[in-house]
């Protein structure tokens, strides 16, 4: 089984930036396997479902952003470190949510939470006005 561990969430003020990280377990996710996976960041606000924020394929040949973050967020990955990042700038109060990292063996952008097989435990991002 794949294990994903997110970090980087915290309380920030509107307009601030932060970077979320997600590390895939080395025990269950070899470098080669990780390189063939699609990774995604989802957010879940209180009382709402998980929504895809950004996704990136293994070779970085495909990257997708939600319209709500496009232009102020960057997803990236370091396959050598089994890590995917989400850098968010100009944060808004409406960005407040739990952010989850997700992974799947398919080598294409996946838009829905039910498409992903593996999930982290989530990290809380709170943006104060």
């Amino acid at each position: 089984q794949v294990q994903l561990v997110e970090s980087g969430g915290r309380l920030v003020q509107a307009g601030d930036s932060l970077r979320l990280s997600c590390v895939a377990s080395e025990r269950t996710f070899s470098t080669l396997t990780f390189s063939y996976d699609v990774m995604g960041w989802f957010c879940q606000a209180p009382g709402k479902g998980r929504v895809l924020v950004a996704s990136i394929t293994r070779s970085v040949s495909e990257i997708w952003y939600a319209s709500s973050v496009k232009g102020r967020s960057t997803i990236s990955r370091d396959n050598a470190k089994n890590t995917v990042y989400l850098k968010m700038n100009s944060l808004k109060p409406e960005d407040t949510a739990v952010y989850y990292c997700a992974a799947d063996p398919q080598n294409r952008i996946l838009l829905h939470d039910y498409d992903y097989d593996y999930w982290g435990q989530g990290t809380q991002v709170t943006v104060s006005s």
Side-chain angles (χ1 to χ4, degrees):
Q1 292 294 323
V2 173
Q3 293 183 351
L4 305 174
V5 179
E6 305 97 331
S7 62
R10 58 187 174 92
L11 173 63
V12 298
Q13 293 186 337
D16 285 352
S17 300
L18 60 71
R19 188 179 76 164
L20 306 180
S21 300
C22 172
V23 180
S25 170
E26 292 184 358
R27 294 178 300 166
T28 55
F29 215 3
S30 70
T31 299
L32 179 62
T33 303
F34 182 80
S35 296
Y36 281 73
D37 288 341
V38 62
M39 304 290 293
W41 283 99
F42 285 77
C43 68
Q44 185 171 25
K48 298 186 178 181
R50 294 181 182 179
V51 177
L52 183 64
V53 175
S55 181
I56 185 170
T57 55
R58 57 169 174 166
S59 61
V60 198
S61 60
E62 294 181 68
I63 293 177
W64 183 94
Y65 294 101
S67 58
S68 59
V69 302
K70 197 170 186 178
R72 61 187 184 94
S73 296
T74 302
I75 188 171
S76 60
R77 63 190 291 167
D78 185 338
N79 292 335
K81 296 182 178 180
N82 289 355
T83 303
V84 63
Y85 305 97
L86 181 66
K87 177 71 181 300
M88 296 189 293
N89 302 314
S90 303
L91 283 161
K92 307 173 183 179
E94 49 264 44
D95 293 321
T96 295
V98 177
Y99 284 74
Y100 295 91
C101 173
D104 194 85
Q106 298 186 65
N107 183 30
R108 61 187 178 95
I109 297 296
L110 301 175
L111 300 179
H112 305 289
D113 57 355
Y114 52 76
D115 290 325
Y116 290 82
D117 284 347
Y118 307 110
W119 291 85
Q121 82 290 346
T123 185
Q124 176 70 48
V125 173
T126 303
V127 184
S128 64
S129 57

